[in-house]
Amino acid sequence: MSWSGWGDPAKSRELPEQVRKLLHDFLGVRAPEAPAVTLESVRLPPIALAEPQVSALAGVAGPDHVLTSHEARVRHTRGKSTPDLLRMRAGDGSDAPDAVVLPGSHEEVARLLELCARERIAVVPFGGGTSVVGGLAAARAGFAGVIALDLARLDRLLRVDAKSMVAEFEPGVRAPDAERLLAPYGLTLGHFPQSFEYATLGGFAAARSSGQASAGYGRFDDMVVGLTVATPSGDMELGRAPKSAAGPDLRQLMLGSEGVFGVITALRLRVRRAPAERLYERWRFASFAAGREAVRAIAQEGPLPAVLRLSDENETMIGLAKPETIEPGGEAGCLAIVGYEGRPATGRDVADGSAGGGIPLSTRRDAVAAVLARMGGEPVGEVSGKEWERGRFSAPYLRDALLAAGATVETLETAGFWSDLPRLYDAVRLALLGELGSPLVMCHISHVYETGASLYFTVVTAQEDDPVAQWERAKAAASTAIVEAGGTITHHHGVGRDHRDAYAAELGPAGVAILQAVKSRLDPAGILNPGVLIPRSG
Amino acid sequence: MSWSGWGDPAKSRELPEQVRKLLHDFLGVRAPEAPAVTLESVRLPPIALAEPQVSALAGVAGPDHVLTSHEARVRHTRGKSTPDLLRMRAGDGSDAPDAVVLPGSHEEVARLLELCARERIAVVPFGGGTSVVGGLAAARAGFAGVIALDLARLDRLLRVDAKSMVAEFEPGVRAPDAERLLAPYGLTLGHFPQSFEYATLGGFAAARSSGQASAGYGRFDDMVVGLTVATPSGDMELGRAPKSAAGPDLRQLMLGSEGVFGVITALRLRVRRAPAERLYERWRFASFAAGREAVRAIAQEGPLPAVLRLSDENETMIGLAKPETIEPGGEAGCLAIVGYEGRPATGRDVADGSAGGGIPLSTRRDAVAAVLARMGGEPVGEVSGKEWERGRFSAPYLRDALLAAGATVETLETAGFWSDLPRLYDAVRLALLGELGSPLVMCHISHVYETGASLYFTVVTAQEDDPVAQWERAKAAASTAIVEAGGTITHHHGVGRDHRDAYAAELGPAGVAILQAVKSRLDPAGILNPGVLIPRSG
């Protein structure tokens, strides 16, 4: 993973000439004054931990698993939001942890939490490091130091219960490795967020991730049937049955807790049979409003496809609606991607049960197509599996090229009920346009429910002298607009530090009090991810 | 509602001669010595509240809405478990509230909580009064008195958002009234638990109810998209979007909270289009194990029917697998009921969208039938809509006739993952057989998930001299078996007082500490449903 950008540096992308021209002509983007610094020249604070504390950490995790090198600290500094990248490119490593600790077992995690509580060392649980909401930058004040608790060594598939369709993993397993480990069993999680290549299962759970195929496979929180959690006040084993009436569902209190209540050390996840067939199609609608009504009809009447994503007019025009290309196509109307995964309609493997039963892909496709056509959609061709594979995780790579060219590009997202969605869409767009002059604001719906949907915005604007401050103003305006228009501050990015105040407004004082009460009981020393998620006052 | 039994006394059922003979010959049931007492002769404790306290309650809710009559107190005493009924039939009203208070608005609820916290009056939120787990019997010790907070006056449909498919209700709406209020909109909740005729929406949410059509419509907790809750520490509005990554899902902390954290004063519920067509069929399997594997295949391969219930050999033999009859049929093997609800396959209303899209009922039926047949099932005929309607809520009426005849009949339930289910089934049966001598133990699977299912046991045994103590021993043995075999102590009945200790074992100390922390913060005086749900110590 690039320390100052996204992903494998070998996969970095050049901006097509068309895009450069667009940035220059329409957004007024000019090359930035200062190029990105080198890793070696990132400025880090001195290590605050005392030598005996570092030794004590090594006493639990082993001396090879406590890292204090410049590079290790840089690579565990913050996450991957655009402000995070801009700060790193400028050499600002002020949020670096003092040390990186890599425990090898649940027991080591538990002992490290005990040690850190005693020594008042703040602990930032670290999975793939892909937070885009400031979820990895702990508030240092009042602590002897900060460690990144990197869960990379907890990377095993522990158990497959094929009868229950449950697989148990350790939290540090990255998403591609989870799929690789499940493949020999003919199973899949079906969880493909844009962070797929780097993010971990523990991180998905801690931040309530949602993926590109969530319409078909469910959100990550839908997949979690059990959790093992280490807290400074003891362990928890949650989930003795798929569903229960035994009190509140405490799994749902740990999902989305972003490391502030405890550290997830094992996850029991619902898995699915890997699909034998895939089909991705593109549909065109006259307008975003028309397409929105069509995807609403699908969400409410069913059956849901595996993938359902509708771009607005701007995103369609710029070409981001086509995952395989970033060249502006000037397409009219709005494009939707509709993907199906499942079993073929016929064959001996169906009759003998080896392909599973259920409704064949083609039958589901026809039912969806009938609704989309009724709602004014027009099918405009298949997307090849190759195009889809190539394009599905490419956007974050594009961002690095845009940043280097002097453009700020960032995303933000929300969700709301269907009847609130038009107002929410307008409010966020207006806030961004008002704050940033004449940025390019694009949007898509990528997660639909019977009662509502997500809105995912991508903003491109020319960098001002202080691009971090510039974006923070825009983000604040968008967040206020979301809260006022009745949406949730985040559909799948999480809260971190960036959304904490808006989250408090969303929760209200009694909700905030609940979080603070749980926090005080499980983590009385307050060492776990301080400053993240939990609002400071009710 | 009968004060000492279930439901409308006019619907009470006589035991068929065949059943009487079976009870006598096989279970040794003899008529009980003492018949049930009259309502007037139920023994109640003196009213503990002081006159100024009763006046203060009347000052908030109005003098007509504070009841202290003998009848009102009897009718709000405990719930509808078999021990509850046995105690009432014996004239034991020792758990009666001192007064019944009927607030007319959210504001009155909030003011009553404030008043009761100040005066240390325990508050038992009361919906339909159908708890079967001791959820309505507050622990009096340390309180000035106990009131039942009957939410019957909060009985309005507040809003229908047809675009979002969300309806907002007050909590005291009974399930049949909810359906009646939604019918003009062509909508339904699709929630039909056995308590349907009396239970309220607020109660469904507070106790995580599951209904007979939950396979198709989801559990009640799946339907809740938003809640308004009044707590002694302020109000909460939860749910700004169908799904969110904004921290833990606090709706899931209130669902299943059984009135100990606050009082639900409004619910925003996902609704569905009322089905145009219904079809219920009966299938036969050679054994419970064979049927279990078949319903597992359906749950994992899809599509799910709306209703899916599989009886074991005993339940099939006794005839309880047929909802329309209680006559023992001596049927071989195991019967399943498979019900479909949806739209017909053809017609102009489909083409123009007025019937909705999606997969037609017959297509889904064929896909399910193919899987069931592959797994060894044999279709044995349709159940008419009338039979289904007549039978679906009849079992609790039957119980009263059995109790009067000298038999104890009670139900208990659990859920687990598929691979644990055989062990769980055996363990509970063995525990009941061991404790009760030679009772009749029947079981069915009525709620299936991809990763597991529920087990619902019905036990019939001859009453001993102290039938309450007799059942409590059996229940304790079954609960221990459930905990040891890895199941959850309840799939849809809830925790109440009866499951509290087993629930503590299920949660573990850290989980218990979370509940206690939330309770202390929201209800510092501890007035809400004391003794229910929350284990006394970690």
Side-chain angles (χ1 to χ4, degrees):
Chain A
M1 171 80 99
S2 160
W3 65 272
S4 65
W6 178 261
D8 179 357
K11 292 195 201 166
S12 68
R13 300 178 70 170
E14 285 294 310
L15 283 187
E17 194 45 44
Q18 262 185 296
V19 175
R20 286 188 183 281
K21 195 166 155 42
L22 184 103
L23 293 174
H24 186 278
D25 295 354
F26 291 94
L27 295 177
V29 170
R30 301 294 175 267
E33 306 255 319
V37 303
T38 62
L39 188 152
E40 293 69 28
S41 53
V42 172
R43 301 172 301 280
L44 298 183
I47 293 177
L49 291 173
E51 203 286 316
Q53 292 173 318
V54 175
S55 297
L57 293 167
V60 177
D64 293 349
H65 305 126
V66 178
L67 313 176
T68 53
S69 70
H70 181 85
E71 178 168 350
R73 294 178 67 204
V74 167
R75 288 188 179 280
H76 290 80
T77 302
R78 308 192 191 97
K80 296 295 177 186
S81 72
T82 293
D84 287 346
L85 301 193
L86 288 166
R87 286 195 187 95
M88 291 308 277
R89 295 172 67 94
D92 170 5
S94 55
D95 287 314
D98 297 303
V100 178
V101 182
L102 296 104
S105 66
H106 169 91
E107 288 65 32
E108 287 185 13
V109 172
R111 286 170 55 206
L112 287 167
L113 292 183
E114 206 180 300
L115 168 65
C116 290
R118 204 167 52 234
E119 297 286 333
R120 292 200 59 74
I121 299 170
V123 176
V124 181
F126 193 99
T130 63
S131 171
V132 291
V133 292
L136 300 169
R140 278 188 172 272
F143 293 97
V146 177
I147 64 166
L149 191 76
D150 190 325
L151 300 161
R153 290 175 64 215
L154 297 177
D155 63 351
R156 290 178 303 165
L157 169 61
L158 298 172
R159 189 171 58 94
V160 172
D161 175 355
K163 185 163 254 188
S164 305
M165 293 295 266
V166 170
E168 185 169 29
F169 289 96
E170 290 184 314
V173 177
R174 287 189 181 177
D177 293 326
E179 293 296 336
R180 188 179 50 71
L181 290 163
L182 289 173
Y185 300 91
L187 300 174
T188 182
L189 282 173
H191 191 66
F192 304 108
Q194 212 160 52
S195 60
F196 177 81
E197 295 169 278
Y198 293 91
T200 60
L201 303 183
F204 290 151
R208 286 190 180 270
S209 174
S210 234
Q212 294 172 2
S214 288
Y217 292 90
R219 299 163 56 90
F220 198 78
D221 46 25
D222 296 326
M223 298 177 195
V224 175
V225 297
L227 292 171
T228 304
V229 184
T231 85
S233 300
D235 298 340
M236 274 190 287
E237 288 285 343
L238 300 172
R240 290 166 73 94
K243 293 282 180 176
S244 168
D249 189 346
L250 295 187
R251 294 175 294 201
Q252 299 291 332
L253 194 68
M254 292 299 135
L255 294 167
S257 65
E258 300 188 10
V260 306
F261 294 154
V263 178
I264 294 166
T265 58
L267 307 93
R268 292 167 286 285
L269 303 176
R270 180 257 288 156
V271 291
R272 291 258 175 92
R273 198 186 283 250
E277 197 178 5
R278 288 187 171 83
L279 173 69
Y280 305 99
E281 294 181 314
R282 207 173 276 121
W283 285 72
R284 188 198 309 279
F285 294 89
S287 66
F288 191 49
R292 188 189 65 228
E293 290 305 292
V295 299
R296 178 169 76 86
I298 289 295
Q300 294 177 343
E301 299 173 22
L304 274 174
V307 173
L308 185 58
R309 168 176 159 156
L310 170 76
S311 294
D312 74 352
E313 289 85 352
N314 278 357
E315 192 170 286
T316 299
M317 187 186 67
I318 293 302
L320 286 185
K322 295 189 176 185
E324 70 283 8
T325 172
I326 52 166
E327 301 196 16
E331 300 248 20
C334 289
L335 285 179
I337 297 238
V338 187
Y340 308 90
E341 307 197 349
R343 71 165 178 83
T346 55
R348 202 183 44 199
D349 53 347
V350 174
D352 72 10
S354 62
I359 305 276
L361 186 151
S362 59
T363 305
R364 288 190 287 120
R365 187 262 168 210
D366 291 348
V368 172
V371 175
L372 294 179
R374 190 186 87 215
M375 301 299 290
E378 178 198 358
V380 289
E382 261 187 55
V383 183
S384 79
K386 234 184 206 113
E387 287 174 309
W388 178 247
E389 288 296 330
R390 196 165 60 226
R392 67 195 307 182
F393 310 124
S394 66
Y397 289 98
L398 177 59
R399 180 175 55 164
D400 289 334
L402 287 163
L403 289 178
T408 290
V409 57
E410 183 57 304
T411 61
L412 57 89
E413 34 91 75
T414 179
F417 296 104
W418 288 111
S419 54
D420 295 332
L421 232 49
R423 191 162 58 111
L424 198 49
Y425 176 76
D426 289 343
V428 175
R429 276 180 52 82
L430 272 175
L432 291 167
L433 294 171
E435 199 60 51
L436 290 172
S438 49
L440 175 60
V441 181
M442 300 169 282
C443 182
H444 63 251
I445 291 173
S446 53
H447 300 80
V448 297
Y449 306 94
E450 287 177 74
T451 57
S454 67
L455 291 174
Y456 190 91
F457 294 88
T458 303
V459 190
V460 187
T461 190
Q463 284 175 20
E464 291 177 1
D465 288 348
D466 184 346
V468 172
Q470 176 194 14
W471 177 252
E472 280 176 350
R473 283 199 315 275
K475 172 79 178 175
S479 296
T480 301
I482 286 171
V483 171
E484 288 179 0
T488 178
I489 193 63
T490 171
H491 171 266
H492 59 269
H493 280 172
V495 175
R497 296 177 72 152
D498 299 356
H499 290 152
R500 196 182 49 196
D501 294 341
Y503 177 49
E506 184 171 329
L507 269 186
V512 171
I514 289 176
L515 297 184
Q516 291 171 334
V518 175
K519 172 80 171 173
S520 304
R521 190 67 71 105
L522 294 181
D523 176 23
I527 56 168
L528 280 163
N529 229 356
V532 164
L533 187 72
I534 309 228
R536 271 163 294 194
S537 75
Chain B
M1 169 79 98
S2 159
W3 64 273
S4 64
W6 177 262
D8 180 353
K11 292 195 201 165
S12 69
R13 299 178 69 170
E14 284 296 309
L15 282 188
E17 194 43 44
Q18 263 186 295
V19 175
R20 285 189 185 279
K21 193 166 155 44
L22 184 104
L23 294 175
H24 187 279
D25 297 353
F26 291 95
L27 295 177
V29 170
R30 301 294 174 264
E33 306 256 320
V37 304
T38 60
L39 189 152
E40 291 69 28
S41 54
V42 172
R43 299 174 301 280
L44 298 183
I47 294 176
L49 291 173
E51 204 285 317
Q53 292 173 319
V54 176
S55 295
L57 293 167
V60 178
D64 293 348
H65 305 127
V66 178
L67 312 176
T68 53
S69 69
H70 181 86
E71 177 167 351
R73 293 177 69 204
V74 169
R75 288 188 179 280
H76 289 80
T77 302
R78 308 192 190 96
K80 295 296 177 184
S81 72
T82 293
D84 287 346
L85 302 194
L86 288 167
R87 285 196 188 94
M88 290 309 275
R89 294 172 68 93
D92 171 3
S94 55
D95 286 316
D98 296 303
V100 179
V101 182
L102 296 106
S105 66
H106 169 91
E107 288 65 32
E108 287 185 11
V109 172
R111 286 170 56 207
L112 287 167
L113 293 182
E114 206 178 302
L115 168 64
C116 290
R118 203 166 55 232
E119 298 285 332
R120 294 200 57 75
I121 299 170
V123 176
V124 181
F126 194 99
T130 63
S131 171
V132 291
V133 293
L136 299 169
R140 278 189 172 270
F143 293 98
V146 178
I147 64 166
L149 192 75
D150 188 326
L151 300 161
R153 290 175 64 214
L154 297 177
D155 63 351
R156 289 177 303 164
L157 168 61
L158 297 172
R159 190 170 58 94
V160 172
D161 174 356
K163 185 165 254 186
S164 305
M165 293 296 264
V166 170
E168 184 168 30
F169 287 97
E170 290 184 313
V173 177
R174 288 190 179 175
D177 294 327
E179 293 297 336
R180 187 178 52 71
L181 290 163
L182 289 173
Y185 300 91
L187 300 174
T188 181
L189 282 172
H191 191 66
F192 304 107
Q194 212 161 53
S195 60
F196 177 81
E197 295 168 278
Y198 293 92
T200 60
L201 303 182
F204 290 150
R208 286 190 179 271
S209 173
S210 234
Q212 294 171 1
S214 287
Y217 291 90
R219 297 162 58 88
F220 198 78
D221 46 25
D222 296 326
M223 299 178 194
V224 175
V225 297
L227 292 172
T228 304
V229 185
T231 85
S233 299
D235 297 339
M236 274 191 288
E237 288 285 343
L238 299 172
R240 290 167 74 93
K243 293 281 181 178
S244 167
D249 188 346
L250 295 188
R251 292 174 295 200
Q252 299 290 332
L253 195 67
M254 292 299 136
L255 294 167
S257 65
E258 301 189 7
V260 305
F261 293 154
V263 178
I264 295 166
T265 58
L267 306 94
R268 291 165 288 285
L269 303 175
R270 179 259 287 154
V271 291
R272 291 259 174 91
R273 197 186 286 250
E277 197 178 4
R278 288 186 171 86
L279 173 68
Y280 305 98
E281 294 181 316
R282 206 174 275 123
W283 286 71
R284 188 197 308 280
F285 294 89
S287 66
F288 191 50
R292 188 190 66 227
E293 289 306 290
V295 299
R296 178 169 75 87
I298 289 295
Q300 293 177 345
E301 299 174 21
L304 275 175
V307 172
L308 185 58
R309 167 176 161 158
L310 171 76
S311 294
D312 73 354
E313 288 85 351
N314 278 357
E315 192 169 287
T316 300
M317 188 186 66
I318 293 300
L320 286 184
K322 296 188 173 184
E324 70 283 8
T325 172
I326 52 167
E327 301 195 16
E331 300 247 20
C334 290
L335 286 179
I337 297 240
V338 188
Y340 307 90
E341 306 197 350
R343 71 164 179 85
T346 54
R348 202 182 48 198
D349 53 347
V350 174
D352 71 11
S354 62
I359 306 276
L361 185 151
S362 59
T363 305
R364 287 189 287 119
R365 187 261 168 209
D366 292 349
V368 170
V371 175
L372 294 179
R374 191 186 86 217
M375 301 300 290
E378 179 199 355
V380 288
E382 260 187 57
V383 184
S384 78
K386 235 184 206 111
E387 287 175 308
W388 177 249
E389 289 295 331
R390 195 165 58 226
R392 70 197 303 183
F393 310 124
S394 66
Y397 288 99
L398 176 58
R399 180 175 55 163
D400 290 332
L402 287 164
L403 289 179
T408 291
V409 56
E410 182 57 306
T411 61
L412 56 87
E413 33 92 74
T414 178
F417 296 105
W418 287 111
S419 54
D420 295 333
L421 233 49
R423 191 162 57 109
L424 198 48
Y425 176 75
D426 290 342
V428 175
R429 275 180 52 81
L430 273 176
L432 291 168
L433 293 172
E435 198 59 53
L436 290 173
S438 48
L440 175 60
V441 180
M442 302 169 280
C443 183
H444 63 252
I445 291 174
S446 53
H447 299 81
V448 297
Y449 306 95
E450 288 177 73
T451 58
S454 66
L455 291 174
Y456 190 92
F457 294 89
T458 303
V459 189
V460 186
T461 191
Q463 285 175 21
E464 291 175 2
D465 287 350
D466 185 345
V468 171
Q470 177 194 13
W471 177 250
E472 279 175 352
R473 285 199 313 275
K475 171 79 177 175
S479 296
T480 302
I482 287 170
V483 171
E484 287 178 2
T488 178
I489 192 61
T490 171
H491 171 266
H492 59 270
H493 280 172
V495 175
R497 296 177 76 153
D498 299 355
H499 290 152
R500 196 182 50 196
D501 294 342
Y503 177 49
E506 183 171 330
L507 268 187
V512 171
I514 289 175
L515 296 185
Q516 291 170 333
V518 174
K519 172 79 172 175
S520 304
R521 190 66 71 105
L522 294 181
D523 176 23
I527 55 167
L528 279 162
N529 230 356
V532 165
L533 187 72
I534 309 226
R536 272 163 293 193
S537 77

